[in-house]
Amino acid sequence: MRGRLLIGVVLTLTFVVGCTSPFDRVGGDAAPAGSPSASTSPPAPSDPASATPSPTAPASPTPATRTTGPAKPLSEIRRTDWPNAVIDNLKFCGGSDDTVRFRNGSNGAAVPCKILPGGASPVYAEFIVEEPAIAPSTEDALILVELGNPGSRRAQALVPVQLSDTGGKRNAWPVIVGGSGDRPDEIETFTSYRVVGENVRATVRKLDGRTETREWRKADGGGTWERTTVG
C-alpha cells in the first residue's frame, strides 16, 4: 500500500512541476468547454484490501521532507485577462482600428468578434521568433477568435499573440483562418489546437461535419502561415 502511495505522490509532483514551468517549449491543447481532458486519468479500480479497517500506525517523529521548491511566478502573457484584453494588429476582427478592445469576451461591434468562444482556452508556448535575436525569450499565446453573428456568415481564426518589447501590449501576428460556406452558420471550427515546436497543429471540423488534423508553419519572417504535412 505504501508503494502505491509513493507512486501517486511522484506522479502528482511531476504534474505540478510541468504546469508551473513557464518557459517550456511545450504547447498545450485547447478545446470547447466540456471536452474530455487528455490529462485526466480514469479512476483506478478499488482495492479490496484498502476497504478493510486496520490499526492506526503511530506518528513518525521524523518530519516530512520537502521535495518541491516554491511555484514559479506566472509569465506576463499568462497574466492576460483574455475576455477583457486589448490586442493590437488584429485585423481579422474588422473595423477601422486594428486595435481590438474586448469586453466580457466580445468587441461589442454590430458584427462582433468574440475571443475564446465556446469556453476555448489559450495555449502558451515560445513559438514566435524573437526580434532582435538577442532579445530575451518570452512565452507567446495562441488564442481562438470568431467573427460574425449566429445565423449569419461567420469565421473562426487562430491568433498568435506576442508581448511587445516593453511587455505592456499584446500584438497579434498573422492569423490562421478556418473556412466558411455560402450558407449562414456554415463554418469550419477549430475543436482543438496546440503548438508543436514552432508549428501550429489543430483539429478542424469541416463543412461536411467530418474532422481532420491540419498543421501550419511560418512561411516567412513576417509570420505568414502555410499548410504543411502532419507527421
Side-chain angles (χ1 to χ4, degrees), residues 173-187:
W173 278 61
V175 305
I176 298 170
V177 182
S180 60
D182 297 328
R183 294 176 294 181
D185 289 332
E186 191 177 37
I187 66 170

Side-chain angles (χ1 to χ4, degrees), residues 13-109:
L13 294 178
T14 302
F15 177 79
V16 172
V17 171
C19 289
T20 56
S21 178
F23 295 107
D24 290 344
R25 292 183 62 89
V26 179
D29 290 318
S35 298
S37 172
S39 62
T40 302
S41 300
S46 58
D47 186 349
S50 65
T52 304
S54 58
T56 304
S60 172
T62 305
T65 302
R66 186 183 181 90
T67 57
T68 59
K72 295 181 181 179
L74 293 178
S75 63
E76 183 60 30
I77 193 71
R78 290 179 186 251
R79 298 176 185 273
T80 304
D81 178 12
W82 293 109
N84 300 291
V86 178
I87 303 179
D88 291 342
N89 304 320
L90 187 47
K91 300 178 181 180
F92 172 81
C93 287
S96 58
D97 189 353
D98 291 343
T99 299
V100 180
R101 293 172 172 81
F102 293 98
R103 291 294 179 268
N104 298 320
S106 174
N107 66 346

Side-chain angles (χ1 to χ4, degrees), residues 140-223:
D140 311 302
L142 182 68
I143 62 171
L144 178 68
V145 298
E146 181 176 299
L147 178 65
N149 284 301
S152 61
R153 292 288 299 276
R154 291 184 294 144
Q156 289 190 346
L158 294 175
V159 185
V161 180
Q162 185 180 42
L163 293 174
S164 64
D165 293 339
T166 61
K169 293 184 177 181
R170 276 72 177 154
N171 298 321
W173 278 61
V175 305
I176 298 170
V177 182
S180 60
D182 297 328
R183 294 176 294 181
D185 289 332
E186 191 177 37
I187 66 170
E188 291 186 335
T189 56
F190 295 95
T191 60
S192 69
Y193 46 98
R194 64 179 306 179
V195 174
V196 181
E198 294 184 355
N199 294 359
V200 171
R201 184 177 297 176
T203 301
V204 180
R205 180 174 288 112
K206 302 187 297 181
L207 300 181
D208 60 9
R210 294 182 295 177
T211 60
E212 71 176 8
T213 300
R214 299 176 186 172
E215 186 168 306
W216 296 264
R217 64 185 176 191
K218 289 187 287 293
D220 52 44

